[in-house]
Amino acid sequence: MTYKRKKYHTGDTHLKKRWRVRNRKKDLDQIDEDLKEGKSEKLLNQDVDLDLPGAAQHYCLHCARYFVDEQALNEHFKTKVHKRRLKALELEPYSIEESERAAGHGNFKQAVKRKIVTQNTEKPTDEDVKKILSKVWDSKITSRRHSALFVNGAKATEHFIYLTPHIDFAERLQKREQLQKVLQLRKSNIVLENVESLWQVYEDLNTKKEEYSKRKEEISRELGKLIKNDPDSNTTKKFKIQSDLIKDNLKKLKAPLWSAEEAAIIEVLKLPNNLHNRTPNEEKKIIHTYLHRPDNNKDHLKIGRELNLIELKKNENYYLKGNAAIFELGAKFYFSKVLRENKFVQFSNPDFVKSLIVEGCGQDHTSADNTFILHHDEDSKVNIDSRVHLTGGGSLCSFLAYHAKNILYPKVLPFKYFTMGRQYVPAPSEEDSLFHVSQSSVIEMFGAAKSAEDLDQMLDSLVELLKNTYSKLGYHFRLSLIPADKLFMWESHRVVAEMYSTSLKDYIEVANVSLSGDFISKRLMLTYVENKQNKFPHIISGTLLNVPKFLGCVLEHDADFSVPKLFKVENWTL
């Protein structure tokens, strides 16, 4: 039996393959449409389809092909087939408009040549996010951004996380104009747009993580039902693949999310406190003056040596002798008596605090100019975020070391504490003087209230207390409000008591009272519970007496030095 030939043409195999539709891929104009932003995102993140290679999870946009796994896809990117496709896509595809222009309808336009690059299939790594963040922040994001207050990710295994600060940046951004004005008035070098950009990167990654986690929970619930009823079905297998893919995505997202979170939150923690409505914008404002300032050329060190009262070798090493020692003790006993009469509770604080507390109080815990830092000289592996600082019992840090991560009973608010002790601050000047000593005997106060209104009342009563207490001593002084650009970052308002120094021809701050609102409470998680809600108390603090500065100014007053009657031994009381 003879059979009819099936093929009548020879040498046309390449032509027939071109027109077969069984495995036909998309044309260039169709691929060009796929490359548009909205569509490409959908194609690169397709749902699991078991009928397609690699369950439709490894797709080449430019070649319109599916691959079995990520390795096969990456190998494809290196082939000449893929590179030829990229070259072909460089020219804009032929369109109806171009055909009309060729027929004389319109003006001729040269085809535009574009740069086509291979899609990025890799999940962002920790280093990738750092590169993104470095462009945003105008400086390279290092592998280590020092913070004792906020610790996340892999660093959490290095030391114990005592607390996590409350971050209210999203709330503050709702009043962006106010925040921008605060930065301007404080003359801060922080660029708010950069902080916002860092925060946005973190928010985007965090949103992605929440979406993955939510989808993972949904799939887990469905998978639990399917495994009970039909464990070997295609639907069950599909859900298992989806679950594995989401777990893998969450794992790959972890490192970049930690890096973005650290970069954003540490910069947010550097933002200063809001300003109180009483704080002057530019110039210091004098609100009270007592008597007239002295008019002479006295120098407290010269007088102190002549009267054998002071032996000052340098700012870190000085001694008060004779009546100067009595003056120091008498001043502290006088102020403590006044404070107890005004229902202040006396405290005794430690001299040392951890880095966490220093940063929580708004200071740079890495700077030796802010606090005395203790660590073993031979220890080459010092954790810069977990060191001990010498601040003295008469400091804000010592009070907050007790109150950090503390939940108060609402009925104890408002409260007012004070302490007599030492305050240690690195000398701000190389000039040897009682005005620049590193250790001072002080009276430090600390208080808290439920609201800003209650705090203002406490401030007003403290201002009156300072007026009355210093007026009884018979020395010239004045009370002033410090302008915004002279405040510390944690302060919203500061009132200072100043005395005139004839040797410096300027006023010296001998006492101060500062408001910080709920700024420090949020950083160190000092809370109280009211109506089953956690709230943050508003804090007031200050040094009501700095003995070395006070003594230096008194020695330079017009009258000859003598111990005030209120400071004499017979008036000392505990």
Side-chain angles (χ1 to χ4, degrees):
M1 179 182 288
T2 59
Y3 293 93
K4 186 179 179 181
R5 285 178 56 196
K6 290 185 179 181
K7 297 183 180 181
Y8 290 93
H9 302 282
T10 58
D12 63 351
T13 303
H14 64 289
L15 298 174
K16 292 201 295 187
K17 282 185 177 180
R18 183 184 298 175
W19 298 112
R20 282 178 187 164
V21 295
R22 182 178 63 190
N23 292 319
R24 182 171 175 77
K25 302 295 184 292
K26 292 182 180 180
D27 290 320
L28 292 181
D29 59 334
Q30 293 174 305
I31 293 173
D32 191 75
E33 285 295 316
D34 290 347
L35 292 176
K36 292 181 179 177
E37 189 173 348
K39 201 166 183 181
S40 63
E41 188 71 23
K42 292 179 181 178
L43 288 169
L44 291 174
N45 296 280
Q46 299 181 47
D47 292 333
V48 172
D49 187 346
L50 299 179
D51 294 329
L52 293 172
Q57 300 304 299
H58 309 286
Y59 182 73
C60 176
L61 271 177
H62 304 94
C63 302
R65 287 178 59 187
Y66 293 96
F67 293 86
V68 292
D69 55 28
E70 191 171 341
Q71 183 181 354
L73 178 60
N74 289 328
E75 288 297 324
H76 162 73
F77 290 153
K78 299 174 185 177
T79 62
K80 288 187 177 180
V81 173
H82 179 75
K83 292 175 182 177
R84 280 198 296 266
R85 175 54 57 87
L86 294 181
K87 190 74 175 175
L89 288 169
E90 286 183 354
L91 284 177
E92 285 185 338
Y94 187 77
S95 63
I96 294 174
E97 289 78 10
E98 187 174 348
S99 67
E100 289 176 346
R101 288 196 295 270
H105 299 285
N107 297 324
F108 172 75
K109 289 175 68 176
Q110 183 73 33
V112 178
K113 198 168 185 179
R114 305 166 299 178
K115 184 178 181 180
I116 305 295
V117 294
T118 300
Q119 71 205 47
N120 182 19
T121 60
E122 296 181 0
K123 302 294 179 184
T125 63
D126 195 17
E127 291 300 321
D128 294 331
V129 173
K130 287 173 187 175
K131 289 177 183 177
I132 296 170
L133 297 178
S134 64
K135 292 178 183 178
V136 173
W137 189 239
D138 295 329
S139 62
K140 190 175 179 181
I141 298 295
T142 60
S143 60
R144 181 83 181 183
R145 300 173 65 83
H146 297 296
S147 176
L149 191 59
F150 179 78
V151 182
N152 75 333
K155 299 182 186 71
T157 60
E158 295 177 12
H159 55 83
F160 177 70
I161 301 177
Y162 185 70
L163 59 84
T164 301
H166 175 79
I167 305 298
D168 61 351
F169 184 62
E171 300 167 19
R172 297 187 73 180
L173 271 185
Q174 293 176 3
K175 300 178 180 178
R176 190 184 186 283
E177 291 183 2
Q178 179 184 335
L179 179 56
Q180 186 66 57
K181 185 178 179 181
V182 167
L183 293 174
Q184 290 173 353
L185 291 174
R186 288 179 176 269
K187 298 180 181 178
S188 171
N189 58 3
I190 295 174
V191 181
L192 185 57
E193 289 77 10
N194 290 346
V195 181
E196 285 181 286
S197 300
L198 288 169
W199 185 260
Q200 190 59 52
V201 172
Y202 162 61
E203 286 282 283
D204 292 344
L205 289 172
N206 198 41
T207 301
K208 197 72 176 175
K209 178 192 172 186
E210 290 174 356
E211 290 174 359
Y212 283 146
S213 299
K214 184 178 178 181
R215 182 61 181 154
K216 179 185 173 185
E217 290 177 4
E218 292 172 357
I219 291 173
S220 296
R221 285 195 295 268
E222 293 295 326
L223 192 58
K225 296 175 184 176
L226 289 169
I227 289 174
K228 289 181 180 178
N229 301 325
D230 194 358
D232 298 324
S233 67
N234 283 338
T235 307
T236 305
K237 293 177 181 178
K238 176 181 176 181
F239 274 99
K240 284 182 178 179
I241 293 172
Q242 284 182 326
S243 178
D244 291 340
L245 287 170
I246 289 175
K247 287 178 182 177
D248 185 53
N249 287 339
L250 281 170
K251 185 178 179 181
K252 291 179 179 179
L253 190 63
K254 187 184 293 183
L257 177 60
W258 281 348
S259 182
E261 181 185 37
E262 182 185 42
I265 291 182
I266 289 178
E267 296 306 325
V268 166
L269 288 171
K270 294 178 183 177
L271 290 173
N273 197 356
N274 291 324
L275 295 173
H276 195 276
N277 54 19
R278 299 183 190 178
T279 299
N281 290 342
E282 296 178 357
E283 297 294 331
K284 184 184 291 186
K285 182 179 179 182
I286 300 169
I287 59 174
H288 176 76
T289 302
Y290 181 75
L291 299 179
H292 299 287
R293 73 185 194 186
D295 184 16
N296 59 63
N297 294 312
K298 290 183 178 180
D299 183 296
H300 66 276
L301 288 181
K302 184 178 179 181
I303 296 170
R305 292 190 184 102
E306 288 175 355
L307 299 177
N308 196 27
L309 299 174
I310 303 171
E311 186 178 340
L312 191 145
K313 297 181 179 179
K314 54 182 180 178
N315 288 329
E316 292 79 19
N317 186 5
Y318 73 99
Y319 301 89
L320 300 181
K321 302 184 290 185
N323 283 338
I326 294 173
F327 182 95
E328 178 185 43
L329 293 172
K332 292 196 292 184
F333 283 129
Y334 167 63
F335 271 81
S336 66
K337 179 183 177 183
V338 172
L339 291 173
R340 285 197 302 272
E341 289 172 352
N342 284 270
K343 298 182 180 178
F344 279 74
V345 177
Q346 188 164 1
F347 247 64
S348 180
N349 297 323
D351 286 333
F352 300 94
V353 298
K354 297 283 277 184
S355 298
L356 165 76
I357 303 298
V358 174
E359 187 182 353
C361 292
Q363 300 182 51
D364 183 0
H365 68 287
T366 64
S367 173
D369 294 331
N370 292 330
T371 59
F372 290 105
I373 305 172
L374 280 69
H375 63 80
H376 201 289
D377 291 338
E378 295 180 1
D379 188 357
S380 60
K381 297 182 179 179
V382 174
N383 186 340
I384 200 170
D385 297 327
S386 183
R387 296 186 290 185
V388 175
H389 301 252
L390 175 63
T391 60
S395 67
L396 174 63
C397 291
S398 292
F399 273 113
L400 284 162
Y402 175 81
H403 288 91
K405 202 180 179 182
N406 209 333
I407 301 175
L408 304 172
Y409 288 106
K411 63 183 180 181
V412 306
L413 294 170
F415 63 71
K416 299 182 293 184
Y417 300 149
F418 82 95
T419 185
M420 295 191 299
R422 292 282 184 178
Q423 189 178 89
Y424 298 95
V425 180
S429 172
E430 293 182 1
E431 180 187 358
D432 292 331
S433 164
L434 285 181
F435 302 138
H436 304 133
V437 292
S438 298
Q439 54 178 323
S440 307
S441 291
V442 300
I443 300 290
E444 186 79 8
M445 68 80 51
F446 177 80
K450 289 183 180 180
S451 65
E453 292 75 17
D454 293 341
L455 203 68
D456 288 344
Q457 292 178 9
M458 291 179 69
L459 174 64
D460 293 337
S461 64
L462 268 170
V463 169
E464 289 300 318
L465 181 68
L466 287 175
K467 286 181 185 178
N468 296 331
T469 307
Y470 278 93
S471 297
K472 291 178 181 179
L473 300 174
Y475 302 116
H476 163 70
F477 74 94
R478 73 182 190 185
L479 298 180
S480 306
L481 304 182
I482 300 300
D485 62 318
K486 301 299 182 184
L487 295 177
F488 294 115
M489 64 90 72
W490 55 271
E491 293 177 308
S492 63
H493 185 61
R494 192 200 313 164
V495 182
V496 299
E498 299 174 305
M499 295 179 69
Y500 190 74
S501 166
T502 57
S503 61
L504 298 180
K505 303 300 180 185
D506 198 3
Y507 278 90
I508 299 297
E509 182 181 309
V510 298
N512 62 69
V513 178
S514 300
L515 301 183
S516 57
D518 58 2
F519 183 79
I520 294 178
S521 299
K522 289 178 177 178
R523 292 166 74 93
L524 291 176
M525 294 306 291
L526 171 58
T527 62
Y528 70 94
V529 180
E530 191 171 61
N531 299 326
K532 297 182 179 179
Q533 290 184 338
N534 286 333
K535 297 182 179 181
F536 299 95
H538 294 247
I539 290 175
I540 185 172
S541 60
T543 303
L544 302 185
L545 171 68
N546 185 301
V547 175
K549 292 180 179 181
F550 183 51
L551 175 60
C553 291
V554 169
L555 287 170
E556 294 180 0
H557 267 61
D558 289 332
D560 293 335
F561 174 74
S562 62
V563 178
K565 184 178 179 181
L566 292 168
F567 292 1
K568 291 190 174 179
V569 178
E570 56 267 24
N571 293 317
W572 294 4
T573 57
L574 293 175

